[in-house]
Structure formats: structure tokens, C-alpha cells
Amino acid sequence: MAIRRAQALLSISKLKTSFVLGSFSRCHRFSSSSSQHSTQFQNVGFIGLGNMGSRMVNNLVKAGFNVTVHDINRDVMKMFTDMGVSARETPYQVAQDSQVVITMLPSSSHVMDVYTGTNGLLHGDNAIRPALLIDSSTIDPQTTRKISLAVSNCNLKDKRDNWEKPVMLDAPVSGGVLAAEAATLTFMVGGPKDAYLAARPILESMGRTSIYCGGSGNGSAAKICNNLAMAVSMLGTSEALALGQSLGLSATTLTEVLNTSSGRCWSSDKYNPVPGVMEGVPSSRDYNGGFASKLMAKDLNLAAASAEEVGHKSALISKAQEIYKKMCEDGHETKDFSCVFRYFYNGKDEV
């Protein structure tokens, strides 16, 4: 297996390539016009057709890429084949048809299996067809780096433009289902800079912004840190709003104070957790849709494991873990994570 053949440290920065495409920018906001860099890839495989992946595939198809898909859910695969999109029975078969493969999967174990399991992307001999593999799942950076190392130890079946080795990018996203549908996702990308630049036209078809975060695993690390901050922010905002209600303040009034003062944050002015304060957010529809509490709990577990790995103190991670674990145990795992306002802090709807 490729992982077992890997060496102890990833040295992917030594990758010999000659496809640098223009000047490099750490943060690139895509314009509505065509990209300044034309893509050298047209055949794109996509594995994982859930709420996010299915919408990302739709945008790849709209952008004119030849897409081949796979998912364990045969019904969703049929939905795409009915639209004229090619589907394959295994990740390995997807790889045989693709220059690039994107994965969007629920957990680290799913990603590891799709890459290194039976009929996985790296199945068979040590030569694979895709030159670029992009994982947009939210997983721990340690797993990302192991898989990236395994990919770097493979060879390409079809060498192209002096691209002698396959490359993996970790490119998790922010923005949720609505941004996936509207192709306005933000990508946090880790891996070789040259590969990031080559991938940018593909990312452009699915998102509005990409931020280069550094070497392999750094995109995954950035996503975990972002979601940790989001969880702690939501808990703090919910606690403040619930306390305000107990002290006689309306949530609408306190929200106005927060949003014109130093307490302002995304959880207060873009994603307010109090039903009746803001339209178009999960709290306005009984916390349905949005980012499920069970997913937040999963991401906090990833943050805790990563913090432990590097010996980092993590008091707020532990408390947030405890709260979201209780939310899931109490039956609210499918509700949006902002439901802590109602179900943990006993906050009241705004009438």
C-alpha cells in the first residue's frame, strides 16, 4: 500500500515542475470574468455527491469541464447520469478517466479509504493517471499529510508538460450549501504553490475566493481553526443574547448594540441565533438547514486531536466540545449549530 511505502517526512516542496502560471498571490479573489490562467485540465473526477459535492459538480459541469462522478449512493449517481454526467462504480475507475480528481467526503476515514482502500484512487501498481488530486473534505491535517506523502510516492501513467509526479492539494471550503450552489465558496489551499496555481481555474468554477495557506495539510489546518473560531463565537454570542434576555433586554435591541460595538461578529450580524431577529438564517426556520451540530462536533474533535498532537493548550476547544456533544446526545444533532441558543442556553424566540 502506498502509505506503507512512504517515508517519514513529506518533502513535496522538492517537486520538480515547470508550470508556474504567472505571478503568485496568497489570497486570490476570482473575478466574474474568465480567469487570467487558462486550465490545462478538462477531465475532472468528483467523488462524494452529498449536499456540498453535488452542487460543486453542477458548477463544474456549467463551467464546461468533462466530469465523471462516484458516490456510494446510487440514487444520486443516477440523478447525474440522467443529466448526462458520466458515473463510475469505484474511485479507481474515476481515476482512470480523469486528469484531476476532487473528493468531498464526511471524515478522515472516508478520505483514507477512497485514496488507499480497495479500488481506491491509488489502487493497483505505483502509477496513477490523475496529475492532480484535490481533497475538499474537512479532515485533520495529519491524515492529509499522510495521503499527500503517499500520492507523492506514486508515478504518473501519462507524463505531461514535465509534470512527472502526481500532486495532492488539500482545499477545504467555507460558505456552506448556499455558497456551493452559487459558486461563491472560499477555498483554503495547502500543497505546492505551482499546483495551486494550476488548480485555480478549477477552483474558480466552484468558488469566489481562494487563499493559499502553505504546504501540505495547511489548508486542512486553516479550516479546523476557522471552525473552532466559529463555534466559540457562536457560543459567546448565544450566551450573551440569552443573558441579555434574562436581564430584561430584547434580543433585537442587544443585537443592535453588539453590531455597532466591539462585540460585533459573524454570529451576531450575519448568522444571528435568535429566532425572529434575522431573516434567511437557520434560526428563522426552526434551525433547519445550515451547518449541523453533529458536523460542528466532528470538527471540534478534529481541532482537539490536532491541538493534542502539537501539545497546544485547548481550554475553549474542550468546553465547546462538551457543549456540542451534549447537543447531539439530546437529539439536536441535525439542527444548525446556532441552536445552542435555544437548547443549551434556554434562550427565547423574539416575538
Side-chain angles (χ1 to χ4, degrees), residues 130-180:
L132 183 58
L133 299 113
I134 304 172
D135 181 40
S136 288
S137 316
T138 300
I139 65 173
D140 62 280
Q142 294 83 3
T143 296
T144 293
R145 287 164 182 151
K146 288 177 183 177
I147 298 174
S148 180
L149 181 54
V151 171
S152 72
N153 277 277
C154 294
N155 294 307
L156 278 177
K157 286 186 177 178
D158 304 311
K159 292 182 174 61
R160 45 183 292 126
D161 301 329
N162 294 322
W163 193 316
E164 297 180 355
K165 288 277 192 178
V167 181
M168 178 185 177
L169 294 173
D170 45 296
V173 301
S174 181
V177 172
L178 292 179

Side-chain angles (χ1 to χ4, degrees), residues 242-258:
L243 174 60
Q245 288 182 332
S246 297
L247 296 174
L249 284 164
S250 74
T252 298
T253 299
L254 184 51
T255 294
E256 184 178 359
V257 171
L258 293 174

Side-chain angles (χ1 to χ4, degrees), residues 54 58 89 201 253:
S54 60
N58 284 336
E89 291 295 315
T253 299

Side-chain angles (χ1 to χ4, degrees), residues 191-204:
K193 291 180 181 179
D194 292 346
Y196 161 68
L197 291 171
R200 216 156 66 179
I202 298 172
L203 303 182
E204 176 183 1

